[in-house]
Amino acid sequence: MAAIELDNLTKRYGDSLAVDGVSLTVESGEAVGFIGPNGAGKSTTIDMLLDFVRPTDGTARVFGYDAQTETRSVHERIGVVPDGYALYDRLTGREHLQLAARLKETSVDVPAVCDRVGLDVEDADRPSKEYSKGMGQRLAIGMATVGNPALLIFDEPTAGLDPHGIARLQELLTAEVDRGTTVFYSSHLLEHVEDTCDRIAILDEGRLVGVDTIDGLRAAVGSATLTLQELFTVYTEKEGRPSVAAGGAD
Amino acid sequence: MTDMSTQMPQKSRTVGRVVAIARKEFHTGIRSDALQIIFGLLLTATVLVFWASSRSADPTVLSAIGVLGLPFQLLIPVAVITLATGSIAGERATGSLKVLLGLPPSRTEVVVGTFLGATGVLVAGLSATFVIAAVLAVAFFGTLAVGPLVSVVSAAFLLGMAFLGFSVGLSAAASTTKRAMTAGFGGFLGLTFLWEPILAGVYYLVTGSGPSGELPGWVLLIDQMNPIEAYAVVANMAGDVGVTPLRISIGLGGQSAAAEWASTAIPTVLLEPLSFGVLCSWVVLPLVAGMYWFQRSDLT
């Protein structure tokens, strides 16, 4: 069964199209990276998937449930780190994890979650306003994994993480994928995406300009050696600028 | 993948989520500095009222309790508006709302849970005030006057609830904290200063002359829709302790609500249930309207 199905998903703000007819299927058990320049519409797409933003046209489905009309069924099956989120300053890390567990109607092993995301278990009893950005991000990732959801949707999960945190996140995502969890996440860390994801979706100016394995993306531009960084440039290149594909392909 | 929706009936699961959100709201609310300052003021005002009343020419516990009804009318709406207009709109501004709504709760459950959590904060603050007031009554006057004290504190609770429904509703409808707070305090000032002038204007539009003499029942009925007016009626329920509504009157009636009502065809016995109804409507209607807007918003 498809974990995510976007069909002609569109969001218009006044005259501008933030997301322009995006159709994308993520199969169960897949890890798909969602990349694109700032302002390409990645967060708006994810926000529609989470029912934070309502589409102007098209539909978003998660495990067959409509994101707008069957929101609960969707949210019971996913773990989320949204774009532009914040924690509760006055609640401790433990209280955050317990809140997530109560709302997901499950229990949480706080030390185990802390260990998984690399948060010192002693910090779990401090209010989150005393956390560094990276600690907060680890806690948010920990909250998302409470209840072992079948699909993880992370919007820029590496933001604020130091190299240790990024490595830890990579381990966590790899372990989740090995367990059969579907992973869909946006990131600017292309090496990280390349290492973690089965397929990559590239969004530019609201349109999906490429969805494939890295080899598939390479084949489509006629090169077997481009890095994801170079592919990113090729796929999101504006007209009139020199193309990396023309010069770098051999 | 297990189908969780078959494990428990829908209703009790909704209750569980609402309670979890209410707990969160209570914990963050009770730890807020602004709230602690306002409740500090409330307790200080209570102590001062009893101390000053005991030194008046004719000190009685009833007059002290009656005077207590005055600071309550100012501090409780201010406390509630400060706390609650920033609730959902504030979470929307910081982004913690995205964490909450990324989890299973619906938007309706978030609004209801937030409202109940803030109610818990109000109950905690007023319970503390009630206990202090009871201790002070015994200390200064040697007697408790339980009935009037209960009725003044309950009326303060209902007034707080009315402003809570109003404020949480605004907070859910507004896209920014600033707008919700402006509308909240604007509404409070409007109820305090503009209610009667506006009503007089309506009277003029309908009848072609300014209000004078005996007023028709419908004018008094609309006048009584003001939650502050309704509060004063409820506060005096267990014996008239002389709580007067703290708002600007241009002398529409010029006397107490009960006295005004005695002059109309509407039976005075209806005044108390009507006032209860008015306060409850102020709790529910803005909340429902706010939820309606909140359901339809894009959270960006």
Side-chain angles (χ1 to χ4, degrees):
Chain A
M1 189 211 280
I4 298 175
E5 272 178 286
L6 308 180
D7 182 18
N8 188 35
L9 197 64
T10 302
K11 182 65 183 183
R12 178 183 289 280
Y13 288 109
D15 287 340
S16 70
L17 273 170
V19 176
D20 185 1
V22 168
S23 296
L24 170 69
T25 303
V26 175
E27 295 299 334
S28 256
E30 244 192 326
V32 173
F34 196 32
I35 65 174
N38 286 332
K42 301 186 298 292
S43 291
T44 307
T45 303
I46 291 175
D47 280 352
M48 286 192 277
L49 197 53
L50 300 175
D51 191 41
F52 295 163
V53 169
R54 274 62 186 263
T56 313
D57 198 9
T59 54
R61 293 186 160 269
V62 173
F63 296 121
Y65 296 101
D66 186 278
Q68 268 66 50
T69 60
E70 297 165 298
T71 315
R72 168 103 64 230
S73 300
V74 171
H75 284 230
E76 281 171 349
R77 290 165 174 79
I78 63 178
V80 180
V81 176
D83 166 62
Y85 76 91
L87 298 167
Y88 293 102
D89 279 358
R90 293 187 283 264
L91 297 186
T92 65
R94 183 183 301 276
E95 285 170 326
H96 277 91
L97 293 171
Q98 285 166 342
L99 176 67
R102 285 200 189 95
L103 293 174
K104 289 182 175 181
E105 294 161 86
T106 182
S107 55
V108 58
D109 180 348
V110 174
V113 174
C114 289
D115 185 52
R116 192 158 64 209
V117 297
L119 194 66
D120 198 328
V121 74
E122 280 168 24
D123 291 329
D125 290 312
R126 288 167 60 196
S128 79
K129 71 173 160 224
E130 295 174 11
Y131 283 18
S132 68
K133 194 157 185 255
M135 288 163 73
Q137 189 73 355
R138 288 166 195 242
L139 177 58
I141 293 167
M143 284 176 83
T145 63
V146 168
N148 295 322
L151 167 62
L152 294 175
I153 300 175
F154 290 175
D155 201 347
E156 297 279 350
T158 49
L161 292 180
D162 61 12
H164 291 305
I166 292 170
R168 185 72 74 126
L169 175 67
Q170 186 139 353
E171 275 171 36
L172 183 145
L173 289 176
T174 308
E176 288 287 342
V177 171
D178 288 345
R179 283 198 314 123
T181 308
T182 313
V183 173
F184 183 63
Y185 79 96
S186 78
S187 180
H188 287 309
L189 285 187
L190 300 183
E191 272 174 51
H192 186 239
V193 171
E194 192 175 343
D195 288 346
T196 318
C197 295
D198 304 316
R199 285 196 302 151
I200 293 150
I202 307 172
L203 197 70
D204 188 33
E205 295 186 332
R207 278 191 295 273
L208 212 50
V209 293
V211 193
D212 213 329
T213 59
I214 187 146
D215 287 334
L217 291 173
R218 283 178 181 138
V221 296
S223 159
T225 56
L226 293 182
T227 63
L228 185 55
Q229 178 66 58
E230 287 163 335
L231 284 166
F232 179 88
T233 313
V234 172
Y235 276 88
T236 61
E237 191 77 302
K238 308 296 176 289
E239 279 175 340
R241 273 191 247 155
S243 163
V244 171
D250 48 354
Chain B
M1 191 176 26
T2 56
D3 193 351
M4 286 180 276
S5 57
T6 54
Q7 286 170 7
M8 245 194 286
Q10 276 306 322
K11 253 184 198 161
S12 72
R13 304 177 64 217
T14 288
V15 170
R17 282 186 292 264
V18 167
V19 168
I21 295 168
R23 270 172 85 135
K24 181 273 300 167
E25 187 64 25
F26 181 77
H27 284 137
T28 52
I30 216 95
R31 293 172 200 173
S32 125
D33 298 341
L35 191 85
Q36 287 169 6
I37 290 168
I38 291 167
F39 274 122
L41 284 175
L42 192 63
L43 294 178
T44 309
T46 306
V47 173
L48 285 177
V49 163
F50 274 96
W51 178 79
S53 299
S54 73
R55 277 153 198 270
S56 67
D58 178 25
T60 71
V61 69
L62 284 183
S63 69
I65 291 170
V67 174
L68 206 54
L70 222 57
F72 280 3
Q73 283 181 75
L74 185 65
L75 290 172
I76 288 168
V78 167
V80 165
I81 293 168
T82 307
L83 170 78
T85 51
S87 60
I88 293 169
E91 289 209 28
R92 206 163 149 178
T94 62
S96 56
L97 187 61
K98 283 190 165 181
V99 171
L100 211 50
L101 285 173
L103 292 160
S106 68
R107 295 191 189 188
T108 305
E109 286 166 357
V110 168
V111 175
V112 173
T114 300
F115 170 75
L116 292 179
T119 302
V121 175
L122 182 66
V123 169
L126 283 175
S127 305
T129 310
F130 178 83
V131 170
I132 301 263
V135 169
L136 291 170
V138 172
F140 280 112
F141 301 99
T143 171
L144 197 53
V146 179
L149 186 58
V150 166
S151 124
V152 166
V153 174
S154 313
F157 170 69
L158 284 175
L159 183 70
M161 291 291 283
F163 278 100
L164 196 57
F166 176 63
S167 303
V168 173
L170 284 175
S171 191
S175 53
T176 67
T177 316
K178 203 173 164 186
R179 281 187 201 171
M181 201 171 274
T182 307
F185 280 105
F188 176 53
L189 293 176
L191 288 169
T192 307
F193 292 102
L194 298 178
W195 190 266
E196 282 208 353
I198 289 172
L199 186 55
V202 171
Y203 182 91
Y204 181 80
L205 285 177
V206 172
T207 65
S209 64
S212 62
E214 235 173 66
L215 294 166
W218 67 265
V219 173
L220 293 179
L221 198 63
I222 295 176
D223 203 22
Q224 210 58 38
M225 298 295 139
N226 189 317
I228 300 167
E229 195 70 38
Y231 156 82
V233 172
V234 175
N236 292 322
M237 254 174 52
D240 193 341
V241 287
V243 174
T244 51
L246 187 66
R247 67 187 182 104
I248 297 301
S249 174
I250 55 166
L252 263 188
Q255 44 198 337
S256 77
E260 284 174 7
W261 279 65
S263 66
T264 71
I266 306 168
T268 311
V269 291
L270 288 182
L271 188 57
E272 286 174 2
L274 176 75
S275 300
F276 264 115
V278 165
L279 288 169
C280 293
S281 305
W282 275 96
V283 180
V284 174
L285 297 181
L287 206 54
V288 170
M291 271 190 234
Y292 179 87
W293 282 107
F294 188 49
Q295 291 291 351
R296 278 151 192 79
S297 330
D298 277 348
L299 312 172
T300 46

